[in-house]
Amino acid sequence: MNNRFLIGMPGCGKSTVAAVFDWKYDEQVYDTDDCIVSKHGEISKIFEEYGEEYFREIETEVIKQLNDIEYDCFISVGGGAVLREENVRIMKSDGNKIIYLRTKLSTLEERLKNDTTRPLLKGDLKKRLNKLFAERSAIYEGVADIIVDTDGLTPEQIFENISTELRGIK
Ligand code: S3P
């Protein structure tokens, strides 16, 4: 498989950039959160009723299923997907590539200040975001084949930068 996986913090623009790939390239684009919601309902409800571990199980199942599709896909994964070794192993298997959308904490904070959909950010947004950022930044950088900085760029510009980088490592 030669799938492309988009990773990064909540609010880094993974879904928006994936949508650009959809209309510019007519690629097969998937979003793991969307797949989970369409099959199991709202993510905040899943966390509330069954807990984070259950959500992570479903997330891994979805990543496996998408990776096994017969054609190459562009897959945006939830911000916490890199926390499981199994997910990283799948995302790094065969000819797959992982693209990290790196975004400054201040930008994420600004984008997410009115968000109510992400269970891990409920409560003190700044504190929670800081914690996730501190825990995950090195992991994102460590697993990525490509790192694209997104601050101040439009989704189209980010798309162009990713495309250029991907051509460079083919
Ligand atoms: C999560 C991020 C969310 C979603 C879930 C858990 C996380 O996706 O998968 O709420 O652990 O960071 P986004 O990264 O698209 O917000």
Side-chain angles (χ1 to χ4, degrees):
M1 283 299 142
N2 293 299
N3 294 319
R4 308 289 175 243
F5 287 91
L6 263 192
I7 64 166
M9 285 286 289
C12 72
K14 298 181 293 277
S15 307
T16 320
V17 170
V20 179
F21 270 86
D22 201 6
W23 62 266
K24 287 253 190 187
Y25 266 178
D26 208 18
E27 293 242 355
Q28 294 300 319
V29 174
Y30 295 94
D31 180 304
T32 57
D33 285 345
D34 287 350
C35 294
I36 292 170
V37 170
S38 65
K39 204 167 166 199
H40 300 270
E42 286 306 318
I43 289 174
S44 53
K45 285 254 163 60
I46 301 173
F47 269 70
E48 221 173 274
E49 288 176 26
Y50 305 104
E52 179 173 351
E53 195 47 34
Y54 180 73
F55 171 81
R56 298 296 173 201
E57 291 291 335
I58 304 173
E59 188 175 48
T60 297
E61 205 44 51
V62 168
I63 291 172
K64 260 189 217 156
Q65 284 165 0
L66 293 176
N67 190 55
D68 285 345
I69 293 178
E70 279 167 22
Y71 41 81
D72 296 334
C73 309
F74 197 88
I75 303 163
S76 162
V77 300
V82 296
L83 301 176
R84 277 193 160 202
E85 271 178 32
E86 189 178 1
N87 297 343
V88 173
R89 189 184 52 72
I90 297 167
M91 293 193 280
K92 285 196 96 58
S93 62
D94 299 326
N96 291 348
K97 293 283 178 282
I98 300 183
I99 302 146
Y100 169 31
L101 295 190
R102 185 165 58 188
T103 309
K104 287 185 183 142
L105 194 52
S106 52
T107 308
L108 297 173
E109 228 179 283
E110 182 55 30
R111 285 196 194 141
L112 294 169
K113 66 183 180 205
N114 296 319
D115 182 82
T116 55
T117 62
R118 293 168 169 94
L120 293 180
L121 298 178
K122 278 204 177 121
D124 186 337
L125 173 69
K126 197 174 171 144
K127 204 167 146 193
R128 288 185 171 244
L129 208 48
N130 253 292
K131 185 169 177 286
L132 295 187
F133 193 84
E135 286 168 357
R136 296 177 179 177
S137 291
I139 303 177
Y140 291 136
E141 291 186 5
V143 302
D145 296 294
I146 292 172
I147 299 176
V148 174
D149 288 306
T150 68
D151 297 275
L153 301 183
T154 64
E156 284 80 5
Q157 288 169 324
I158 298 167
F159 160 85
E160 293 298 343
N161 291 349
I162 294 173
S163 302
T164 306
E165 292 283 341
L166 280 174
R167 280 195 295 273
I169 60 167
K170 257 186 187 158

